Every structure is written in structure tokens, then in C-alpha cells.
Amino acid sequence: MYCTIAAVYTSNSIPINLLNTSAPRNVLEILTKYICRVHRFSTTGTLCRRGTMTTLDDLEVLHQCADYIAINKQYDLKINMNEKTDEVTVDKQLCHAFPELVDPKMVFGFRFVHRLDYATSGVLCVALTRVASAAMHKAFSKGEATKHYVALLHGHTDKEDMLIDAAVGRDSSVLDFHKMCTANHKECSNPRQARTVLVSLEHGFYDGRPASKVLLKPFTGRTHQLRVHCTHIGHRIIGDYMYSNRTDTEPHRMMLHALRLIVPLKKTPLDIASTDPFVSSVDPKWQTSHVLNTYKNSLENQDLASIKHIKLDS
């Protein structure tokens, strides 16, 4: 069963239209947050699936050393939250698993050096010391960190690889204040350069419908960059509730996974990989019909000049 933020919410039999009311924007945002909190919705518009209950013990550790812990974050799981609730979050899982490593000076106990969306699964790294955190932040700010994602997209991609170059900014036309869009959207606010390499790995079918498995390598770190770029080229990520205008509700999750994180730190070089969840043995609804490329082979193609450059309106 799915939880959605309905266009019309009924309280004491009084309908309140959240999308077409003339109420001030701040009032709508407060009301939306309240409804989301009471009914366990996500204010970012990402689907909250009641069937995927996560516990404090559901923590898969991929790497641990004196400076960092890396985990395989589950989908539909918040990293942390300011509200005091019983909802399970990544920071609570870490505090439960590693009480001896909790830093009382940190609000959430650990130093989160990067983030993943609520609906995205995969490699997530936290720093255990101030020095380690600074080193990781420096690597990310200088563009030295490499992130690889795998995703299942609607439809069959028509190119084996492409470089998507499209600035991404906030979509100011919607209530969901975290929704983003490309710069050619007339309501795009404060667009910033965003570049993503997409490599088509497989064509097949998800739940009987044409789908593609792709490798995504972002060169920038804009909010929702991969989701926006895939949507803009006409191949939205399967299960992406927000960017389907809240219609893609059949899949049990959004099919985006952070597969690997590589950070060439001097003291503690990191190369952390997780398992690919988008295989038929894990999700039988995904069936491959044609292999276009492999992850290993795609890594050998490091010459961006050979990749088809898709310059979108930015």
C-alpha cells in the first residue's frame, strides 16, 4: 500500500485543496509538512512505501576504518531529521550499531560528508574525525571524488553513451520546494551547471514494459541531478514519484542506486563498492533482453571526447 500526498486532503470532512488554493505559500508549506508528518509522507514528494519497514538493525557496513564508515543505505530511508520522532534514520542506525563512535559534539552523532536522496540506495560514507571530514569535503569540492550509479530507466535508450550537459535549478512553479528542473524550464530558478555521463548497459523489460539499465557518472553534484537529467532526455528513472508528477507508483522503489564511491585521499584512499540490486535474481520484474555494455568495459572508456555530447538548453 502506498502513501501519497493527495491533491485534496480531507480533515473532519472538510476538503482542503493543497494545490489550487489562494492561501499564502508559507501556509501551504506548513500545512503540507504537517500532513506529511502525521501520515508519514515525504515533504520532498518522494513516495513513502509502508510495505518497506526499516529497523535499527538493518545496517549493512561496506567499509570501516579509523577515519570512515561506509554503509549500503537502504532505499526510502532518511539520513537524519530534526524532528524528534520514532522514525528510523541512518544516523539512528549508526548510533545504535556504533555507540562507542558517536561524537557528542555532532547533532546527529556522525559527520555526514555527502548525502543520498531519501529514495536512493547505495554507498554512503561518514567521517569519524574532524580531520577526516575536512579531507573528504576537500576532495568533493575539488571534484576528485568519483561516484557511479546504476539505474533502471523507462524506455530503451537510443545511444550507448552520452554526456548530458544541462544546468539544473529549482522549479519555482511547484509546492514541493525541493523539486528541480533544467534551465530551459520557464520557472527555473538559479540554474547551475550540471554534467552527467550516461552509459547504456542493458535493454530489457521491467514488469513487461521497455526499460534500460544504465551507468550514471555525475561530474557535478546538483540536487536531484541524475533524476532531472534522465527525465529531460526522455527516460525517467523507474519509480521516480516526484518527476513523474506523482504517477509512477507501481514499482516498490525508485530504481536509482549509488554503486561505487572512489575518493583518492592521501591518508586513507577509498574505493567502496556495493552490490547491484537491479538484477533479475533480486528483482524478477527486471528481465534483460540485450546486453549493450558491461560495467567493467564502461570504466575503460575514460575518453570523454568519444562520448556523444548532448548539450541541452542551459
Side-chain angles (χ1 to χ4, degrees):
M1 181 177 181
Y2 296 105
C3 303
T4 59
I5 302 175
V8 176
Y9 171 71
T10 303
S11 176
N12 297 325
S13 301
I14 302 176
I16 303 175
N17 193 317
L18 296 177
L19 302 181
N20 299 315
T21 180
S22 59
R25 183 185 183 88
N26 64 324
V27 173
L28 294 178
E29 291 182 352
I30 292 172
L31 179 59
T32 300
K33 288 181 180 180
Y34 172 77
I35 294 172
C36 291
R37 184 168 64 251
V38 171
H39 295 274
R40 296 179 61 82
F41 299 150
S42 167
T43 56
T44 63
T46 307
L47 198 62
C48 174
R49 298 159 173 91
R50 283 182 177 168
T52 56
M53 298 302 295
T54 302
T55 70
L56 292 175
D57 293 318
D58 293 331
L59 185 69
E60 180 184 352
V61 178
L62 301 173
H63 171 84
Q64 183 181 357
C65 63
D67 293 319
Y68 303 100
I69 293 176
I71 67 167
N72 187 14
K73 174 189 171 295
Q74 293 189 334
Y75 62 87
D76 288 357
L77 181 64
K78 296 176 183 177
I79 292 179
N80 49 45
M81 57 190 303
N82 293 320
E83 294 85 356
K84 300 296 183 181
T85 72
D86 294 330
E87 184 175 349
V88 175
T89 54
V90 172
D91 68 305
K92 292 178 182 178
Q93 289 181 323
L94 287 169
C95 291
H96 177 72
F98 304 101
E100 73 281 3
L101 298 179
V102 173
D103 187 341
K105 297 179 182 179
M106 305 302 298
V107 176
F108 300 108
F110 293 85
R111 294 172 170 84
F112 290 90
V113 292
H114 69 117
R115 304 184 73 84
L116 294 177
D117 288 346
Y118 165 81
T120 304
S121 59
V123 179
L124 179 69
C125 189
V126 298
L128 299 178
T129 68
R130 181 175 55 82
V131 173
S133 178
M136 182 73 81
H137 278 295
K138 182 178 180 181
F140 271 95
S141 63
K142 294 176 66 175
E144 296 174 348
T146 301
K147 294 181 287 185
H148 296 164
Y149 293 76
V150 286
L152 295 181
L153 310 184
H154 285 286
H156 288 158
T157 52
D158 57 0
K159 296 179 178 63
E160 287 196 9
D161 49 41
M162 65 182 78
L163 175 61
I164 307 170
D165 189 346
V168 171
R170 175 188 167 189
D171 185 347
S172 60
S173 67
V174 295
L175 179 62
D176 304 283
F177 54 88
H178 283 107
K179 189 173 184 181
M180 311 297 283
C181 60
T182 48
N184 61 325
H185 191 288
K186 64 180 181 180
E187 299 293 340
C188 188
S189 174
N190 191 31
R192 301 173 66 189
Q193 182 187 34
R195 303 171 77 225
T196 302
V197 162
L198 182 151
V199 180
S200 298
L201 299 177
E202 301 171 6
H203 282 170
F205 296 86
Y206 189 82
D207 201 16
R209 300 181 181 91
S212 300
K213 183 175 180 177
V214 300
L215 170 67
L216 298 169
K217 297 189 283 186
F219 286 92
T220 47
R222 310 303 174 217
T223 300
H224 296 178
Q225 175 177 318
L226 301 181
R227 299 163 66 181
V228 171
H229 275 177
C230 290
T231 299
H232 202 74
I233 64 171
H235 296 285
R236 190 182 68 251
I237 296 174
I238 292 174
D240 193 338
Y241 181 64
M242 176 183 289
Y243 292 97
S244 66
N245 293 321
R246 301 170 175 168
T247 61
D248 198 354
T249 59
E250 291 184 11
H252 68 282
R253 61 163 295 179
M254 182 177 74
M255 306 299 174
L256 178 62
H257 177 79
L259 184 68
R260 189 177 178 188
L261 173 66
I262 306 169
V263 191
L265 301 169
K266 291 183 179 180
K267 180 183 177 183
T268 314
L270 297 176
D271 187 346
I272 305 165
S274 60
T275 55
D276 180 359
F278 307 137
V279 293
S280 58
S281 59
V282 176
D283 187 349
K285 290 185 177 181
W286 165 244
Q287 295 293 324
T288 301
S289 60
H290 182 54
V291 176
L292 303 169
N293 209 335
T294 65
Y295 176 68
K296 181 179 179 180
N297 289 341
S298 69
L299 297 183
E300 296 174 356
N301 181 13
Q302 298 296 328
D303 182 12
L304 292 182
S306 67
I307 297 178
K308 177 65 175 177
H309 186 270
I310 308 297
K311 178 70 173 179
L312 303 176
D313 296 334
S314 58

